[in-house]
Amino acid sequence: MRKFKENVCLSVLSACLLAGILTGCGKGADTSSGDNTTVELLNVSYDPTREFYAAYNELFHEYWKEKTGQDVTVTQSHGGSGSQARSVIEGNEADVVTLALAHDITAIEEAGMIQSGWAEEFDKDSSPYTSTIVFLVRKGNEKNIQDWNDLIRDDVAVITPNPKTSGAACWGFLAAWAYQQEQDGQDSAATQEFMKKLYQNVLVLDSGARGSTNTFVENGQGDVLIAWENEAYLSMQEYPDQYEIITPSISILAQPSVAVVDENAESHGTPEAASAYLEYLYSEEAQRLAAENYYRPSNEDILREFSDQFDLDMNLVTIEDFGGWNEAYKTFFEDGAIFDQIYGE
């Protein structure tokens, strides 16, 4: 089913491009002139947001049509967050990016394509929704997997994506590290040895979170998937009574970030629509839609409305516990850093 949805996205993209050719619609419609030309936006996003943004694009279309009289067509691009950031730097002409972690957007900023201060452009550090990392296991949890320490047992096979290309994998790595640091009394050498054992148990290191979900759910590999919370819920929704979610004793507050790609939006003539597209993510309608797609709304009142869905008492570390994303990425994920040391061994 998931692979089918990916093909649908490609078909929609092709149809949109064909429509643009046939109608002469331009990317940069001037809203102030009352131009009714269709506005085209490209949202380059990370793996598990396909379903959410497919629904959100319809919601935003209605909002923009009512506000400006214009139609807006939003096409989507999905993949591992780090890979997606590199694709924008290398020429994928995103008007907006909605990526898994702030560091990936910072990389685009450092390439000169996004203006500094982007994290303050929208509320909550430009994170309109959050998530966390959980374990997805098969119904009955035959291996009795309860916490991170179970993932280093000899009889447990783990599925997780690659931190070099996937935002989910970075968040998961840091959550596991935080857990073991507490066990080891902040002994980094001992924690690194724990992480080495964990990755020795990884059967497949996919490039993105959706690929890992397909490996675990569609292909039946592994005993446990280290997963985005929303991705785990989607798997349970699509396959009732086949999976269950295990909440580890320590996880992490994952903050996916959004930004206008200023260089591209200016070139396309779409900065107003691009900014509105991200701003509207904070509307009550969009926040409830995010919750219905198993993302945690940044609006705390709406988050509490869904308290029966989310475990709001989880013990969550934050990226600030690692010195912020610049420091964390340098320490753990840059070439030659801790992950490379662990995986190389």
Side-chain angles (χ1 to χ4, degrees):
M1 183 179 294
R2 294 174 187 275
K3 292 175 182 176
F4 170 75
K5 289 175 181 174
E6 292 175 26
N7 291 335
V8 168
C9 288
L10 291 174
S11 298
V12 170
L13 176 58
S14 298
C16 290
L17 291 174
L18 178 59
I21 294 170
L22 293 177
T23 64
C25 63
K27 256 187 173 293
D30 182 0
T31 60
S32 64
S33 68
D35 187 344
N36 288 323
T37 304
T38 298
V39 179
E40 297 177 12
L41 298 175
L42 172 59
N43 174 13
V44 172
S45 194
Y46 64 106
D47 257 335
T49 62
R50 290 175 171 85
E51 294 79 6
F52 168 60
Y53 278 110
Y56 174 71
N57 292 344
E58 295 181 8
L59 189 67
F60 180 72
H61 179 275
E62 295 175 4
Y63 162 77
W64 191 249
K65 181 74 170 180
E66 182 177 346
K67 180 179 179 180
T68 69
Q70 292 180 321
D71 290 313
V72 59
T73 299
V74 184
T75 54
Q76 300 171 214
S77 171
H78 297 275
S81 187
S83 298
Q84 290 291 80
R86 284 190 287 275
S87 80
V88 173
I89 294 169
E90 293 168 2
N92 193 357
E93 294 191 14
D95 297 278
V96 299
V97 285
T98 56
L99 297 178
L101 45 92
H103 182 270
D104 291 333
I105 297 182
T106 298
I108 304 172
E109 176 194 352
E110 291 175 347
M113 302 179 70
I114 294 177
Q115 296 174 9
S116 62
W118 64 266
E120 289 75 47
E121 186 171 352
F122 303 103
D123 289 345
K124 307 288 187 179
D125 299 321
S126 290
S127 296
Y129 43 79
T130 65
S131 190
T132 189
I133 299 298
V134 298
F135 303 154
L136 186 69
V137 299
R138 305 185 198 286
K139 193 70 174 180
N141 193 12
E142 181 180 345
K143 296 292 180 72
N144 192 29
I145 295 166
Q146 300 297 331
D147 215 337
W148 293 102
N149 60 312
D150 293 314
L151 273 54
I152 67 169
R153 290 176 6 214
D154 292 340
D155 65 331
V156 172
V158 178
I159 302 297
T160 186
N162 189 339
K164 306 291 279 191
T165 53
S166 165
C170 292
W171 290 115
F173 184 102
L174 295 178
W177 185 277
Y179 165 84
Q180 194 59 28
Q181 280 277 277
E182 184 172 286
Q183 309 305 309
D184 290 334
Q186 308 301 313
D187 183 340
S188 293
T191 299
Q192 190 161 328
E193 185 61 26
F194 171 87
M195 298 299 293
K196 176 182 174 182
K197 292 178 181 177
L198 193 160
Y199 278 91
Q200 285 174 339
N201 281 353
V202 174
L203 289 182
V204 181
L205 208 62
D206 289 290
S207 62
R210 182 56 59 87
S212 286
T213 301
N214 286 335
T215 296
F216 184 73
V217 173
E218 305 283 350
N219 300 334
Q221 297 189 50
D223 301 304
V224 56
L225 171 68
I226 303 175
W228 285 111
E229 180 181 52
N230 62 286
E231 188 80 340
Y233 273 119
L234 282 176
S235 297
M236 292 177 61
Q237 177 179 292
E238 291 191 24
Y239 300 92
D241 302 320
Q242 294 188 38
Y243 299 95
E244 58 186 274
I245 291 174
I246 303 298
T247 301
S249 62
I250 292 178
S251 192
I252 192 165
L253 177 66
Q255 295 176 286
S257 299
V258 303
V260 175
V261 184
D262 299 293
E263 181 179 283
N264 291 342
E266 291 291 342
S267 174
H268 301 157
T270 59
E272 181 182 354
S275 182
Y277 181 79
L278 299 182
E279 182 68 41
Y280 195 63
L281 285 167
Y282 294 86
S283 68
E284 289 191 8
E285 296 84 357
Q287 289 284 289
R288 287 195 174 87
L289 183 64
E292 290 165 4
N293 282 269
Y294 307 110
Y295 290 94
R296 298 184 176 215
S298 63
N299 183 315
E300 294 183 4
D301 291 336
I302 295 177
L303 176 61
R304 283 192 290 271
E305 289 179 19
F306 288 82
S307 59
D308 59 337
Q309 175 173 289
F310 300 112
D311 180 357
L312 301 183
D313 296 320
M314 288 180 67
N315 182 8
L316 302 178
V317 298
T318 74
I319 193 60
E320 297 308 317
D321 293 313
F322 297 89
W325 262 116
N326 286 342
E327 184 65 26
Y329 205 87
K330 178 180 178 181
T331 300
F332 295 103
F333 307 120
E334 281 188 355
D335 292 345
I338 288 176
F339 174 75
D340 279 355
Q341 296 167 26
I342 289 168
Y343 204 64
E345 293 174 3

Coordinates of all heavy atoms in Angstrom, one line a residue, residues 52-118:
F52 N 0.2 13.0 5.4 CA -0.2 14.3 6.0 C -0.3 15.4 5.0 O -1.3 16.1 4.9 CB 0.7 14.6 7.2 CG 0.5 16.0 7.7 CD1 -0.7 16.5 8.2 CD2 1.5 17.0 7.6 CE1 -0.9 17.8 8.6 CE2 1.4 18.3 8.0 CZ 0.1 18.7 8.6
Y53 N 0.8 15.6 4.2 CA 0.8 16.7 3.3 C -0.2 16.5 2.1 O -0.7 17.5 1.6 CB 2.2 17.0 2.8 CG 3.0 17.8 3.8 CD1 4.0 17.3 4.6 CD2 2.6 19.1 4.1 CE1 4.6 18.1 5.5 CE2 3.2 19.9 5.1 CZ 4.2 19.4 5.8 OH 4.9 20.1 6.7
A54 N -0.5 15.3 1.7 CA -1.5 15.1 0.7 C -2.8 15.6 1.2 O -3.6 16.3 0.4 CB -1.6 13.6 0.4
A55 N -3.1 15.4 2.5 CA -4.4 16.0 3.0 C -4.3 17.5 3.3 O -5.2 18.2 3.0 CB -4.7 15.2 4.3
Y56 N -3.1 17.9 3.8 CA -2.9 19.3 4.1 C -3.0 20.2 2.8 O -3.5 21.3 2.8 CB -1.6 19.6 4.8 CG -1.3 21.0 5.0 CD1 -2.0 21.8 5.9 CD2 -0.3 21.7 4.2 CE1 -1.7 23.1 6.1 CE2 0.0 23.0 4.4 CZ -0.7 23.7 5.3 OH -0.5 25.1 5.5
N57 N -2.5 19.7 1.7 CA -2.5 20.4 0.5 C -3.9 20.8 0.0 O -4.2 21.9 -0.5 CB -1.7 19.7 -0.7 CG -0.2 19.6 -0.4 OD1 0.3 20.3 0.4 ND2 0.4 18.6 -1.1
E58 N -4.8 19.9 0.2 CA -6.2 20.1 -0.1 C -6.8 21.2 0.8 O -7.5 22.1 0.4 CB -7.0 18.8 0.0 CG -6.7 17.8 -1.0 CD -7.5 16.5 -0.8 OE1 -8.5 16.6 0.0 OE2 -7.2 15.5 -1.5
L59 N -6.4 21.1 2.1 CA -6.9 22.1 3.1 C -6.3 23.5 2.7 O -7.1 24.5 2.8 CB -6.4 21.7 4.5 CG -7.0 22.5 5.7 CD1 -8.4 22.3 5.8 CD2 -6.2 22.1 7.0
F60 N -5.0 23.6 2.4 CA -4.4 24.8 2.1 C -5.0 25.4 0.8 O -5.2 26.6 0.6 CB -2.9 24.7 1.9 CG -2.2 26.0 1.6 CD1 -2.1 27.0 2.5 CD2 -1.7 26.2 0.3 CE1 -1.5 28.2 2.2 CE2 -1.1 27.4 0.0 CZ -1.0 28.4 0.9
H61 N -5.3 24.5 -0.2 CA -5.9 25.0 -1.5 C -7.2 25.7 -1.2 O -7.4 26.8 -1.8 CB -6.1 23.8 -2.4 CG -6.8 24.1 -3.7 ND1 -8.1 24.3 -3.9 CD2 -6.2 24.4 -4.9 CE1 -8.4 24.6 -5.1 NE2 -7.3 24.7 -5.8
E62 N -8.0 25.2 -0.3 CA -9.3 25.8 0.0 C -9.1 27.2 0.7 O -9.7 28.2 0.3 CB -10.1 24.9 0.9 CG -10.6 23.6 0.3 CD -11.3 22.7 1.2 OE1 -11.5 23.1 2.4 OE2 -11.6 21.6 0.8
Y63 N -8.1 27.2 1.6 CA -7.8 28.5 2.3 C -7.3 29.5 1.3 O -7.7 30.7 1.4 CB -6.8 28.2 3.4 CG -6.0 29.4 3.9 CD1 -6.7 30.3 4.8 CD2 -4.7 29.7 3.5 CE1 -6.0 31.4 5.2 CE2 -4.1 30.8 3.9 CZ -4.7 31.7 4.8 OH -4.1 32.8 5.3
W64 N -6.4 29.1 0.5 CA -5.7 30.1 -0.5 C -6.7 30.6 -1.5 O -6.7 31.8 -1.9 CB -4.5 29.5 -1.1 CG -3.6 30.4 -1.9 CD1 -3.5 30.5 -3.2 CD2 -2.8 31.4 -1.3 NE1 -2.6 31.5 -3.5 CE2 -2.2 32.1 -2.4 CE3 -2.6 31.9 0.0 CZ2 -1.3 33.2 -2.2 CZ3 -1.7 32.9 0.2 CH2 -1.1 33.6 -0.9
K65 N -7.6 29.7 -2.0 CA -8.6 30.1 -2.9 C -9.6 31.1 -2.3 O -9.9 32.1 -3.0 CB -9.4 28.8 -3.4 CG -10.5 29.1 -4.4 CD -9.9 29.3 -5.8 CE -11.0 29.4 -6.8 NZ -10.4 29.6 -8.2
E66 N -10.0 30.9 -1.1 CA -10.9 31.8 -0.4 C -10.2 33.2 -0.2 O -10.8 34.2 -0.3 CB -11.4 31.2 0.9 CG -12.4 32.1 1.6 CD -12.9 31.5 2.8 OE1 -12.8 30.2 3.0 OE2 -13.6 32.2 3.7
K67 N -8.9 33.1 0.2 CA -8.2 34.3 0.5 C -7.8 35.2 -0.7 O -7.9 36.4 -0.7 CB -6.9 34.0 1.3 CG -6.1 35.2 1.7 CD -4.8 34.8 2.5 CE -4.0 36.0 2.8 NZ -2.8 35.7 3.6
T68 N -7.4 34.5 -1.8 CA -6.8 35.2 -3.0 C -7.6 35.1 -4.2 O -7.4 35.8 -5.2 CB -5.4 34.8 -3.2 OG1 -5.4 33.4 -3.7 CG2 -4.6 34.9 -1.9
G69 N -8.5 34.1 -4.3 CA -9.2 33.8 -5.5 C -8.4 32.9 -6.5 O -8.8 32.5 -7.6
Q70 N -7.2 32.6 -6.1 CA -6.3 31.7 -6.9 C -6.4 30.3 -6.5 O -6.6 29.9 -5.4 CB -4.8 32.2 -6.7 CG -4.5 33.5 -7.3 CD -3.0 33.8 -7.0 OE1 -2.5 33.5 -6.0 NE2 -2.4 34.4 -8.0
D71 N -6.1 29.4 -7.5 CA -5.8 28.0 -7.2 C -4.3 27.9 -6.9 O -3.5 28.6 -7.4 CB -6.2 27.2 -8.5 CG -7.7 27.1 -8.7 OD1 -8.4 26.9 -7.8 OD2 -8.1 27.3 -9.9
V72 N -4.0 26.9 -6.1 CA -2.6 26.6 -5.8 C -2.4 25.1 -5.9 O -3.2 24.3 -5.5 CB -2.2 27.1 -4.3 CG1 -3.1 26.4 -3.3 CG2 -0.8 26.8 -4.1
T73 N -1.4 24.7 -6.6 CA -1.0 23.3 -6.8 C 0.3 23.1 -6.1 O 1.3 23.8 -6.3 CB -0.8 23.0 -8.3 OG1 -2.0 23.3 -9.0 CG2 -0.4 21.6 -8.5
V74 N 0.2 22.1 -5.2 CA 1.4 21.8 -4.4 C 1.9 20.4 -4.8 O 1.1 19.4 -4.6 CB 1.2 21.8 -2.9 CG1 2.5 21.6 -2.1 CG2 0.6 23.2 -2.5
T75 N 3.1 20.2 -5.3 CA 3.7 18.9 -5.5 C 4.6 18.6 -4.4 O 5.2 19.5 -3.7 CB 4.4 18.9 -6.9 OG1 5.3 19.9 -7.0 CG2 3.4 19.0 -8.0
Q76 N 4.8 17.3 -4.2 CA 5.6 16.8 -3.1 C 6.8 16.0 -3.5 O 6.7 15.3 -4.5 CB 4.7 15.9 -2.1 CG 3.5 16.6 -1.6 CD 2.5 15.7 -0.9 OE1 1.3 15.9 -0.9 NE2 3.1 14.7 -0.2
S77 N 7.8 16.1 -2.7 CA 9.0 15.2 -2.9 C 9.4 14.6 -1.6 O 9.4 15.4 -0.6 CB 10.2 16.0 -3.5 OG 11.4 15.3 -3.5
H78 N 9.6 13.3 -1.5 CA 9.9 12.7 -0.2 C 11.1 11.8 -0.3 O 11.4 11.2 -1.4 CB 8.7 11.8 0.2 CG 7.4 12.7 0.4 ND1 7.2 13.3 1.6 CD2 6.4 13.0 -0.4 CE1 6.0 13.9 1.5 NE2 5.6 13.8 0.3
G79 N 11.8 11.7 0.8 CA 12.9 10.8 0.9 C 13.6 11.0 2.3 O 13.0 11.7 3.2
G80 N 14.7 10.4 2.5 CA 15.4 10.6 3.8 C 15.7 12.1 3.9 O 16.1 12.8 2.9
S81 N 15.6 12.6 5.1 CA 15.7 14.1 5.3 C 17.0 14.7 4.9 O 17.1 15.7 4.2 CB 15.4 14.5 6.8 OG 15.3 15.8 7.0
G82 N 18.1 14.0 5.2 CA 19.4 14.5 4.8 C 19.6 14.4 3.3 O 20.2 15.3 2.7
S83 N 19.1 13.4 2.7 CA 19.2 13.2 1.3 C 18.4 14.3 0.6 O 18.8 14.9 -0.4 CB 18.7 11.9 0.8 OG 19.5 10.8 1.3
Q84 N 17.2 14.6 1.2 CA 16.3 15.7 0.6 C 17.0 17.0 0.7 O 16.9 17.8 -0.3 CB 15.0 15.7 1.3 CG 14.1 14.5 1.0 CD 13.6 14.4 -0.4 OE1 14.3 14.0 -1.3 NE2 12.4 14.9 -0.6
A85 N 17.7 17.3 1.8 CA 18.4 18.6 1.9 C 19.4 18.7 0.8 O 19.6 19.8 0.2 CB 19.0 18.7 3.3
R86 N 20.2 17.6 0.6 CA 21.2 17.7 -0.4 C 20.7 17.8 -1.8 O 21.2 18.5 -2.6 CB 22.1 16.4 -0.3 CG 23.1 16.4 0.9 CD 24.1 15.3 0.8 NE 23.4 14.0 1.1 CZ 23.3 13.5 2.3 NH1 23.7 14.2 3.3 NH2 22.7 12.3 2.5
S87 N 19.5 17.3 -2.0 CA 18.9 17.4 -3.3 C 18.5 18.8 -3.6 O 18.6 19.3 -4.8 CB 17.6 16.5 -3.4 OG 16.5 17.1 -2.8
V88 N 18.1 19.6 -2.6 CA 17.7 21.0 -2.8 C 19.0 21.8 -3.1 O 19.0 22.6 -4.0 CB 17.0 21.6 -1.5 CG1 16.8 23.1 -1.7 CG2 15.6 20.9 -1.4
I89 N 20.0 21.5 -2.3 CA 21.3 22.2 -2.6 C 21.8 21.9 -4.0 O 22.4 22.8 -4.6 CB 22.4 21.8 -1.5 CG1 21.9 22.2 -0.1 CG2 23.7 22.3 -1.8 CD1 22.7 21.6 1.0
E90 N 21.6 20.7 -4.5 CA 22.1 20.3 -5.8 C 21.1 20.7 -6.9 O 21.4 20.3 -8.1 CB 22.4 18.8 -5.8 CG 23.5 18.5 -4.8 CD 23.7 17.0 -4.6 OE1 22.9 16.2 -5.2 OE2 24.6 16.6 -3.8
G91 N 20.0 21.3 -6.6 CA 19.1 21.8 -7.7 C 17.7 21.4 -7.7 O 16.9 21.8 -8.6
N92 N 17.2 20.7 -6.7 CA 15.8 20.4 -6.6 C 15.1 21.7 -6.2 O 15.3 22.1 -5.0 CB 15.5 19.3 -5.6 CG 14.1 18.7 -5.6 OD1 13.3 19.2 -6.4 ND2 13.9 17.7 -4.8
E93 N 14.3 22.3 -7.0 CA 13.8 23.6 -6.8 C 12.7 23.8 -5.9 O 11.6 24.3 -6.2 CB 13.5 24.3 -8.2 CG 14.7 24.4 -9.1 CD 14.5 25.2 -10.3 OE1 13.4 26.0 -10.4 OE2 15.3 25.2 -11.2
A94 N 12.9 23.4 -4.6 CA 11.8 23.5 -3.6 C 11.5 25.0 -3.3 O 12.4 25.8 -3.2 CB 12.3 22.9 -2.3
D95 N 10.2 25.2 -3.2 CA 9.8 26.5 -2.7 C 9.8 26.5 -1.2 O 10.1 27.5 -0.5 CB 8.4 26.9 -3.2 CG 8.3 27.0 -4.7 OD1 8.6 28.1 -5.2 OD2 7.9 26.0 -5.3
V96 N 9.4 25.4 -0.6 CA 9.5 25.2 0.9 C 10.1 23.8 1.2 O 10.1 22.9 0.3 CB 8.1 25.3 1.5 CG1 7.4 26.6 1.3 CG2 7.2 24.1 1.0
V97 N 10.7 23.7 2.3 CA 11.2 22.5 2.8 C 10.6 22.2 4.2 O 10.4 23.1 5.0 CB 12.8 22.4 3.0 CG1 13.4 22.3 1.6 CG2 13.3 23.6 3.7
T98 N 10.2 21.0 4.4 CA 9.5 20.5 5.6 C 10.3 19.3 6.1 O 9.9 18.2 5.8 CB 8.0 20.3 5.5 OG1 7.8 19.3 4.4 CG2 7.3 21.6 5.1
L99 N 11.4 19.4 6.7 CA 12.4 18.4 6.9 C 12.4 17.9 8.4 O 11.7 18.5 9.3 CB 13.8 18.8 6.5 CG 13.9 19.1 5.0 CD1 15.3 19.6 4.7 CD2 13.5 17.9 4.2
A100 N 13.1 16.8 8.6 CA 13.0 16.1 9.9 C 13.7 16.7 11.0 O 13.4 16.5 12.2 CB 13.4 14.6 9.7
L101 N 14.7 17.5 10.7 CA 15.5 18.2 11.8 C 16.1 19.5 11.3 O 16.3 19.7 10.1 CB 16.6 17.2 12.3 CG 17.4 16.5 11.3 CD1 18.7 17.2 11.0 CD2 17.8 15.1 11.9
A102 N 16.3 20.4 12.2 CA 16.8 21.7 11.9 C 18.1 21.7 11.2 O 18.4 22.6 10.3 CB 16.9 22.6 13.1
H103 N 19.0 20.8 11.5 CA 20.3 20.7 10.9 C 20.2 20.6 9.3 O 21.1 21.2 8.6 CB 21.2 19.6 11.4 CG 22.5 19.5 10.9 ND1 22.9 18.8 9.7 CD2 23.7 20.2 11.2 CE1 24.1 19.0 9.4 NE2 24.7 19.8 10.3
D104 N 19.3 19.9 8.8 CA 19.1 19.7 7.4 C 18.8 21.0 6.7 O 19.2 21.3 5.6 CB 18.1 18.6 7.1 CG 18.6 17.3 7.5 OD1 19.8 17.0 7.5 OD2 17.8 16.4 7.8
I105 N 17.9 21.8 7.4 CA 17.6 23.2 6.8 C 18.8 24.1 7.0 O 19.1 24.9 6.1 CB 16.3 23.7 7.5 CG1 15.2 22.8 7.2 CG2 16.1 25.2 7.1 CD1 13.8 23.3 7.8
T106 N 19.5 24.0 8.0 CA 20.7 24.8 8.2 C 21.7 24.5 7.1 O 22.4 25.5 6.6 CB 21.4 24.5 9.6 OG1 20.5 24.9 10.6 CG2 22.7 25.3 9.7
A107 N 21.8 23.3 6.6 CA 22.7 23.0 5.5 C 22.3 23.7 4.3 O 23.2 24.2 3.5 CB 22.7 21.5 5.3
I108 N 21.0 23.9 4.0 CA 20.5 24.6 2.9 C 20.8 26.1 3.1 O 21.2 26.8 2.1 CB 19.0 24.4 2.6 CG1 18.8 22.9 2.5 CG2 18.5 25.1 1.4 CD1 17.3 22.5 2.4
E109 N 20.6 26.6 4.3 CA 21.0 28.0 4.6 C 22.5 28.3 4.3 O 22.8 29.3 3.7 CB 20.7 28.3 6.1 CG 21.1 29.7 6.6 CD 21.1 29.8 8.1 OE1 20.6 28.9 8.8 OE2 21.6 30.8 8.6
E110 N 23.3 27.3 4.8 CA 24.8 27.5 4.6 C 25.1 27.5 3.1 O 26.2 28.0 2.7 CB 25.5 26.5 5.4 CG 25.4 26.7 6.9 CD 26.1 25.6 7.7 OE1 26.4 24.5 7.1 OE2 26.2 25.7 8.9
A111 N 24.3 26.9 2.3 CA 24.5 26.9 0.8 C 24.1 28.2 0.2 O 24.2 28.4 -1.0 CB 23.8 25.8 0.2
G112 N 23.5 29.1 1.0 CA 23.1 30.5 0.6 C 21.7 30.5 0.0 O 21.3 31.5 -0.6
M113 N 20.9 29.5 0.2 CA 19.6 29.5 -0.4 C 18.4 29.9 0.5 O 17.3 30.1 0.1 CB 19.3 28.0 -0.9 CG 20.4 27.6 -1.9 SD 20.1 25.9 -2.5 CE 18.6 26.1 -3.5
I114 N 18.7 29.9 1.8 CA 17.7 30.3 2.8 C 18.3 31.4 3.7 O 19.5 31.3 4.1 CB 17.3 29.1 3.7 CG1 16.6 28.0 2.9 CG2 16.4 29.6 4.9 CD1 16.2 26.8 3.7
Q115 N 17.6 32.4 3.9 CA 18.1 33.6 4.7 C 18.3 33.1 6.2 O 17.5 32.3 6.7 CB 17.1 34.7 4.6 CG 17.0 35.3 3.2 CD 15.9 36.4 3.1 OE1 15.4 36.8 4.1 NE2 15.6 36.8 1.9
S116 N 19.2 33.7 6.8 CA 19.5 33.5 8.2 C 18.3 33.9 9.0 O 17.5 34.8 8.6 CB 20.7 34.2 8.7 OG 20.6 35.6 8.6
G117 N 18.1 33.3 10.2 CA 16.9 33.6 11.0 C 15.7 32.9 10.7 O 14.6 33.2 11.2
W118 N 15.8 31.9 9.8 CA 14.6 31.1 9.4 C 13.9 30.4 10.6 O 12.7 30.3 10.6 CB 15.0 30.1 8.3 CG 15.9 29.0 8.8 CD1 17.3 29.0 8.7 CD2 15.6 27.8 9.5 NE1 17.8 27.9 9.3 CE2 16.8 27.1 9.8 CE3 14.4 27.2 9.9 CZ2 16.8 25.9 10.5 CZ3 14.4 26.0 10.6 CH2 15.6 25.4 10.9

